[in-house]
Amino acid sequence: MTAPVNVLIADDQPLVRRGLALMLAPEPDFHVVAEAADGAEAVRLAHEHRPDVVIMDIRMPVLDGIAATERLAAELPGCRVLALSTFDMDEHVVAALRAGACGFLPKDISPEDLVAALHVVRDGEAILAPRLLTRLISAHVTAPTHPTSTRVPSSADGLTPREREVWRLIATGLDNTDIAERLGVSASTVKNHITGLFAKLGVRDRAQAVIAAYETGLVTARRDV
């Protein structure tokens, strides 16, 4: 048997923390190792318990979820963060994704969707519907006025034409299957292109790749499909 996925829950509302923990209690694949009431406590407990996934509320006292996510991405890169928010179109969700969160969960998520999301994130993928991700980011991320202000490394200039096209299609909301059909290649070939693309851009996942596409002006809201 494989070891359970260790989860840390960080939210300043005790009822939310307890509700999420109760959702996971019947699931043998998951083990809630700790609960935190603010971002600073979440970082401290993450160092202590080394969870696989942290469910991180964005708005918390002492240290907010965005700052806590940024610290965890830098200090515990093996720990993946799921942002938690009341509003699915909140610009703070984009900030959390930029900080290193691997996806977004609404606070009214169902137990089934919570379990599915944790499985996806634990396997190294980002959890957010591609078109929702595109709509969210296009609403709150724009290309910089001065190109030198972009946070995307200059290695993006080294992308092959096919990698750049895959990047553009990711940013317009297509998943791997859609991209494969659009380009007339296999899904495994698309996955290989994405692996190389992420390495060159220096991004962790699909969410950060989409943010980078909007920041650099590769795509804009007007070109969204």
Side-chain angles (χ1 to χ4, degrees):
M1 294 181 64
T2 58
V5 176
N6 290 325
V7 180
L8 188 155
I9 299 170
D11 194 291
D12 62 336
Q13 299 180 44
L15 285 178
V16 173
R17 296 198 305 271
R18 188 86 314 252
L20 291 170
L22 288 173
M23 285 184 188
L24 295 177
E27 301 292 333
D29 291 343
F30 299 99
H31 176 220
V32 177
V33 295
E35 298 178 23
D38 60 64
E41 186 178 24
V43 173
R44 179 179 63 80
L45 290 174
H47 276 277
E48 179 180 343
H49 295 279
R50 301 300 174 105
D52 300 300
V53 181
V54 176
I55 301 175
M56 182 81 75
D57 186 23
I58 290 177
R59 295 181 177 87
M60 289 189 292
V62 186
L63 185 71
D64 66 34
I66 296 169
T69 296
E70 194 164 24
R71 282 191 55 183
L72 289 178
E75 299 169 14
L76 296 174
C79 175
R80 300 180 67 81
V81 175
L82 273 171
L84 190 68
S85 179
T86 305
F87 305 103
D88 67 353
M89 291 302 290
D90 191 337
E91 67 271 18
H92 294 296
V93 175
V94 173
L97 294 172
R98 196 194 304 271
C102 301
F104 157 75
L105 294 177
K107 286 195 174 181
D108 60 354
I109 191 170
S110 69
E112 296 79 13
D113 287 343
L114 174 63
V115 168
L118 289 173
H119 275 299
V120 170
V121 168
R122 181 62 183 88
D123 291 339
E125 299 293 334
I127 182 67
L128 194 60
R131 292 185 186 277
L132 174 58
L133 172 66
T134 300
R135 190 173 79 244
L136 175 65
I137 292 174
S138 67
H140 299 292
V141 179
T142 58
T145 303
H146 304 290
T148 55
S149 67
T150 179
R151 297 179 58 175
V152 180
S154 58
S155 57
D157 295 335
L159 296 178
T160 66
R162 179 48 60 91
E163 287 171 341
R164 188 170 292 274
E165 179 64 8
V166 169
W167 187 19
R168 187 188 68 79
L169 293 174
I170 288 173
T172 56
L174 301 186
D175 60 22
N176 288 10
T177 301
D178 292 333
I179 294 172
E181 292 178 357
R182 180 73 63 89
L183 299 179
V185 298
S186 68
S188 61
T189 297
V190 171
K191 188 173 182 179
N192 289 337
H193 285 312
I194 290 174
T195 298
L197 169 66
F198 286 5
K200 290 181 181 179
L201 292 178
V203 300
R204 291 180 58 176
D205 53 38
R206 208 177 197 91
Q208 290 190 339
V210 175
I211 289 173
Y214 279 91
E215 285 182 328
T216 58
L218 177 71
V219 293
T220 68
R222 291 187 301 275
R223 292 175 63 184
D224 192 0
V225 296

